[in-house]
Every structure is written in structure tokens, then in C-alpha cells.
Amino acid sequence: MHLAFLSTNYYPRMVGGAEHSLQYHAETLVRLGARVSVLSLHEKDTVERFQHNGVECHTFPAPNLRQCLDLKQRASAGARAAWHIVDLYNPAAGRLLRRELLTIRPDLLQTENLPGWSCAIWAAARQVGVPHIQMLHDFQLSCLAATRFRDGRNCENACLPCRAFSTLTRRLSRKVRHVVANSHYTRDLYKRLGFFSGAHTFDVIYGAVPLPHASAIVRAEDSRIRVGFLGRLHPTKGIRVLLDAFIRSARPDLVLRIAGSGAEAYEAELRAGARGHAVEFLGHTPANEFLREIDVLVVPSLWHEPMGRVVIEAAMHGVPVVAANRGGISELFVEGSTGWSFDPGEPAQLEARLRSMTRAELQQMKEACRNSAQMYGPDVVADKWIQLYKHVLSDNLPAPAHAGASAPAVGVQSLSPTR
């Protein structure tokens, strides 16, 4: 089976969780015997084709204003506004995808994040006749910022620019036949907004997270309870809520370790507010190294995170969470067994949990955390995808124009789930 994936970014441009989930999934499929191609964009002028861990990577000059793909976000406001207009529906992106599909001839196309490509790629896949699945990682089809969060609050209603943008994407989405969301929250939101009304299937498959080596989950001894935060230091992540609750808890046996970085001014503000308290700012730290050195992870997000993969990463290391009841985060742990939820709009709830939790109960939750995390391992997640791929390929879709009538079934039986 030859599977093609389309994304804004891919290796080595690993921007966030969506790219890492795709990488884990693509490399697992290669290990299981599939041929995998990933089509992505960059701001350079040349096409780059190379292999990385068995995945065939095809990176193209962005068919839009390339400076807007600069990871340092140095494009002007005017350029970004023009980029968004072009990105409503970019025929050049559709032509690029059609040419590439006819060249590499995949059995199935899975589209991931679309900025830079636009929804024109949906029509391109239909025109070539390649079966297609749309994967939803965030809210980008309904919000220009992809977060539905503005001025410190979650958006209940779309602003005028997002309303105009989503009117078009919603209409175009009607012809997408197969959709997967990374959480029930994400799927339910898109359904409520009227997207993908013509879909044959609309599944939920959580992103894969690699299982750590056994040696990675052994922690150094410490008499204190080590509370952790892992992620970008940004107001939407609720780090200020955590800092305030931690300081007010006034427990001498707690230490707060913060792994991550953010805007220089904001980080300086956080450090100033934590001065004189048992708070350690570690900067960017690999997740595996950080998680094996804490006892509980706090996920205080203010915005409705679509999935919150850090909850899964923590569970794989036997670390329970205290997590905001926002978005898809609460789907990833069991209340009282592998973590606790709280309302970040009511900071006293987090303060009370920090004050009341004991080392004994955190210790008791470790095994349940590790057991619950097994369902998010790459092979388990790949098994679910493979079953969906087989279903899509047998969904009475027209055969690709470049192949005979039997093309959709090529390689399906040879790629079997891991047992």
C-alpha cells in the first residue's frame, strides 16, 4: 500500500504536536510494510526530495507568499493578510497537488494541516481519483488563528473575518467523504458548526505517542513533591493560573518545575512573579527527561485544546495530571484514577488540589497511568488507521485515473496490523 500524506510542515520543520503525531504515524506505517510519502511546504525556492527514517519526503516551495511560512514569523501584517486571502482557495496549490499525485501515484491521500495548501487540495484529490481522508488536528477550518481564542477568552461566536473564511471552507467540506478528528471535542465542534455534512465516516483517532524505554521512567529520589509544567510559555497555556495557585497553596514540600520557553518579555514577567518561591524555570527540556523527574503534571490551558498530547506523554511515564477541563484534554485521563480535572476559570480549584494531594496517592496512580497510556502507542494507533484505510479503499470510490480498476486494493492485504 502506498500512502501519501499532505501537511503544511514536516521534518525537519517540526512546529508542533500535529507534525510529531504525523511523523510517529508515518514511520510506524513504514515499519509495518507500507510505502509512505509526505508532501509538505517550505519558504525556499527549490523542491527537495529525500528520505527520513524510511519516509519519502517531498517538500515544495509554498504556492502562496513564501515569507509567511518563515518559522520566525517575520512577515509583515500586510503580507499575512494577503496570504490569508490567497489561502481561502488557492488554485496553484491544487495544480501542484494534482501533478504530484499523478507522479507518485499513491493508493490513498490523507490531508493534515492545510495552511499554505488551502481547501483547493480537496478538489484536486477528487479530480485525480485518489481516495482521500481529512485529518483534523485543530480548528483551522473555522478560525484564521486555528484556536478559537481571542482577547483572553474562548470564542463562542466567530468574528467577521473568521465567519467569512469558514463560510467558504464549510461549503467546500461537504464533498469530503472521510474525516478523522483527534478528539471527540474536535469532532463535535465541527459537526455543530455544520462542517463535513456529506461525510460517509467521521471517526476519532487520538494521535500516537512513542512509548518510553523502561529506563526512562526511573526517577531520582526527592523528599518533595515535584509539580511540573511542560509546554510553551504563553498566556493561553494558563501558566499564570498555575503560578498563582502554587504560591497560594503555601506548601513547603512542593516544588514547581517549569519546562518550556516563550516570548522574552512574558517569560521575564513570570520569573519576576515567582521570585522567592520554590519555582524552577528550566527552559526548553526534552519531554522524556523532564517527565521522569516530576511526580505530577499540571495542564492549566485556558483555551480549548483539541487534544493535549502532553497528558498522554505524562501517563506513559507514570505521571498523573491535574488538567483543565478544556477541549479534548479531559478525554485523555480518568478522574481520580490517572488524574484530576479543574476549571481554570476557578483558580481556587487548582489551589485546593495542590494543597490536598499526597505523595501516597500520586504513587498509587502510577501504574494506572502507564496502563492507560498503552492505547496511544504507535502500533495500536496504526492498527486503527489501517482498518480505516481498508474501509476507505473499499468504499466504492472510482479507481484512480492513473491505474486500473483494481488499483485501490494494491498492497492492502500485505499491510496487516501488528499482533
Side-chain angles (χ1 to χ4, degrees):
M1 183 190 294
H2 181 190
L3 301 168
F5 295 83
L6 177 146
S7 179
T8 305
N9 299 300
Y10 190 67
Y11 180 86
R13 293 169 55 92
M14 306 302 284
V15 177
E19 290 78 27
H20 285 94
S21 290
L22 174 56
Q23 181 180 15
Y24 301 145
H25 182 48
E27 293 176 3
T28 299
L29 290 171
V30 168
R31 180 166 52 79
L32 294 176
R35 177 186 173 190
V36 177
S37 301
V38 177
L39 318 180
S40 62
L41 303 174
H42 61 188
E43 73 275 21
K44 300 178 184 178
D45 296 327
T46 57
V47 177
E48 295 183 356
R49 301 181 191 273
F50 58 94
Q51 281 205 4
H52 178 69
N53 293 340
V55 177
E56 300 172 19
C57 304
H58 308 258
T59 311
F60 303 94
N64 198 336
L65 298 175
R66 292 175 197 164
Q67 65 267 37
C68 292
L69 279 186
D70 180 358
L71 295 180
K72 295 185 178 179
Q73 300 184 349
R74 291 174 291 198
S76 67
R80 290 195 170 280
W83 184 88
H84 279 300
I85 292 172
V86 174
D87 211 47
L88 285 171
Y89 191 91
N90 188 349
R95 291 193 295 271
L96 169 60
L97 179 59
R98 284 197 299 273
R99 289 195 301 269
E100 190 64 15
L101 291 178
L102 289 170
T103 299
I104 66 174
R105 300 185 176 185
D107 297 305
L108 183 146
L109 172 69
Q110 181 170 316
T111 53
E112 305 262 324
N113 286 344
L114 302 186
W117 291 101
S118 85
C119 295
I121 53 92
W122 293 338
R126 289 196 303 273
Q127 291 163 2
V128 175
V130 175
H132 166 238
I133 298 172
Q134 175 62 51
M135 175 64 190
L136 302 172
H137 290 282
D138 55 26
F139 314 135
Q140 62 185 239
L141 295 176
S142 68
C143 172
L144 292 170
T147 59
R148 297 179 64 85
F149 189 92
R150 185 178 182 182
D151 298 330
R153 292 184 296 179
N154 290 290
C155 300
E156 296 299 326
N157 299 301
C159 61
L160 183 59
C162 289
R163 195 178 309 136
F165 170 70
S166 62
T167 296
L168 176 61
T169 55
R170 184 186 301 109
R171 183 180 301 118
L172 294 171
S173 76
R174 295 171 186 167
K175 293 188 178 181
V176 177
R177 301 181 70 163
H178 300 281
V179 189
V180 175
N182 64 353
S183 70
H184 290 278
Y185 180 88
T186 303
R187 182 183 67 178
D188 293 347
L189 173 68
Y190 275 102
K191 283 190 170 184
R192 188 173 73 249
L193 295 176
F195 281 82
F196 305 107
S197 57
H200 291 196
T201 60
F202 203 147
D203 297 304
V204 172
I205 300 179
Y206 298 107
V209 177
L211 299 172
H213 296 296
S215 60
I217 59 179
V218 178
R219 297 182 187 79
E221 288 299 322
D222 194 321
S223 60
R224 301 170 297 176
I225 295 177
R226 296 159 294 185
V227 180
F229 171 90
L230 174 63
R232 187 166 54 108
L233 303 188
H234 188 272
T236 60
K237 293 292 188 177
I239 182 65
R240 171 59 69 187
V241 172
L242 170 57
L243 269 176
D244 291 346
F246 176 82
I247 292 170
R248 288 196 305 269
S249 70
R251 280 186 63 171
D253 62 335
L254 295 189
V255 58
L256 175 58
R257 292 178 171 173
I258 298 175
S261 59
E264 187 175 336
Y266 184 66
E267 191 169 337
E269 178 186 325
L270 295 174
R271 288 176 180 270
R275 194 171 294 123
H277 300 279
V279 180
E280 303 170 3
F281 287 84
L282 306 178
H284 177 73
T285 307
N288 282 343
E289 292 181 13
F290 179 71
L291 290 169
R292 71 187 181 198
E293 295 297 337
I294 64 172
D295 299 297
V296 60
L297 181 75
V298 180
V299 186
S301 294
L302 301 181
W303 77 294
H304 290 296
E305 293 209 31
M307 178 180 159
R309 63 183 295 112
V310 70
V311 175
I312 301 173
E313 292 175 327
M316 287 183 168
H317 287 78
V319 175
V321 296
V322 182
N325 56 356
R326 292 287 189 267
I329 295 174
S330 59
E331 299 175 29
L332 305 177
F333 65 93
V334 178
E335 185 73 26
S337 175
T338 59
W340 301 278
S341 63
F342 75 97
D343 183 350
E346 299 289 341
Q349 294 181 11
L350 175 56
E351 178 188 344
R353 178 55 61 189
L354 292 176
R355 187 178 290 121
S356 65
M357 65 186 182
T358 66
R359 174 173 291 281
E361 63 184 340
L362 293 175
Q363 190 72 24
Q364 290 173 357
M365 299 170 88
K366 287 183 179 181
E367 195 60 31
C369 288
R370 295 188 187 112
N371 290 338
S372 71
Q374 301 304 308
M375 65 182 291
Y376 304 106
D379 284 6
V380 176
V381 173
D383 193 339
K384 296 176 182 177
W385 277 107
I386 289 167
Q387 299 310 313
L388 177 60
Y389 295 152
K390 291 180 178 181
H391 172 72
V392 171
L393 289 170
S394 63
D395 191 32
N396 299 318
L397 293 173
H402 58 262
S406 62
V410 172
V412 169
Q413 297 304 321
S414 64
L415 181 61
S416 58
T418 299
R419 300 300 181 193

